[in-house]
Amino acid sequence: AAAIKGLGQFHDEESRATVIKYLQSKSFRNEIASAAITVIRQQGDAEYLPPLMDVLTRHEQAFPSKDFGRALQTVAVVAESLEEKSEVYGFLASYVNHPKTNVRTAALSALGELGDRQARSVLASCSDSSNQRIASAAQKALTKLDESGLVVPREVVELRKAVTKMERESKQLKEDLKSLRERIETER
């Protein structure tokens, strides 16, 4: 795996073919494919996206959750500079409701990294999750998306933060009010 990572410094066709070969290989805990994914991230070449997304789709179960999550992040990092991100957005968004929390949080983070405004609604809906890890990952991704400058001006970012804070406080107040009502009813 260490030797494969050394390919990151080479950007020729032969090296690209070798990285793709290792990406598609099978090994214990998919360590060789994971090393190839590290090279893809280092090179940041969007030509790797189709084979990378294909391998992740077809061999998801062969990767440990943590490595699969890193691979999703790699997809986002490599696709960040693309003009058209719809396909990558769809790919990453498909993992937002994954049964494994590590994969879900990685997908949310990757959506923030991608910088595609389509992700805002998905991230906003996940930011209210009862699962704190999911909510936190979605909130961080929203912040990253907002700060990327691609989506909204700084004033809107600050306004959204204030509205989000007020929504949380309002939700807490409603819960407190409900609790008080219940206590009053039981005391009668």
Side-chain angles (χ1 to χ4, degrees):
I4 296 167
K5 290 178 183 177
L7 290 171
Q9 59 189 328
F10 302 105
H11 296 271
D12 56 60
E13 286 300 317
E14 185 179 342
S15 297
R16 182 177 291 116
T18 303
V19 170
I20 291 173
K21 179 181 96 174
Y22 287 130
L23 173 66
Q24 297 169 338
S25 70
K26 294 180 180 171
S27 62
F28 177 70
R29 297 177 53 98
N30 244 12
E31 289 179 3
I32 293 174
S34 293
I37 291 167
T38 299
V39 171
I40 291 170
R41 187 178 188 122
Q42 288 171 346
Q43 291 186 353
D45 186 346
E47 288 187 35
Y48 284 115
L49 284 173
L52 175 57
M53 292 189 307
D54 179 59
V55 165
L56 294 176
T57 301
R58 289 187 301 111
H59 302 292
E60 174 190 340
Q61 299 303 318
F63 288 91
S65 295
K66 190 174 184 178
D67 291 343
F68 189 80
R70 273 194 229 114
L72 292 177
Q73 292 279 348
T74 297
V75 169
V77 167
V78 172
E80 192 175 12
S81 63
L82 293 176
E83 292 269 334
E84 176 55 44
K85 301 177 184 181
S86 294
E87 183 180 349
V88 176
Y89 164 77
F91 174 78
L92 294 172
S94 72
Y95 291 99
V96 167
N97 293 316
H98 195 278
K100 294 181 182 177
T101 302
N102 286 344
V103 174
R104 290 177 71 190
T105 58
L108 292 166
S109 296
L111 285 170
E113 185 72 40
L114 183 62
D116 189 331
R117 71 185 75 209
Q118 294 180 79
R120 169 157 284 295
S121 61
V122 171
L123 294 172
S125 68
C126 290
S127 69
D128 291 332
S129 173
S130 59
N131 180 324
Q132 187 55 40
R133 286 182 56 204
I134 300 298
S136 177
Q139 290 163 2
K140 286 178 184 173
L142 275 169
T143 300
K144 177 124 178 107
L145 188 65
D146 290 344
E147 291 175 351
S148 70
L150 299 173
V151 180
V152 293
R154 189 82 190 134
E155 296 83 18
V156 176
V157 172
E158 295 303 320
L159 181 60
R160 284 188 178 146
K161 285 180 183 178
V163 169
T164 301
K165 182 180 176 188
M166 288 180 1
E167 286 173 339
R168 281 193 210 112
E169 291 171 351
S170 174
K171 184 178 178 181
Q172 184 62 47
L173 284 172
K174 286 178 183 177
E175 290 172 4
D176 291 347
L177 181 60
K178 182 181 176 184
S179 174
L180 281 171
R181 284 182 180 154
E182 289 171 356
R183 279 190 12 211
I184 290 172
E185 290 297 319
T186 59
E187 290 177 5
R188 286 186 182 186

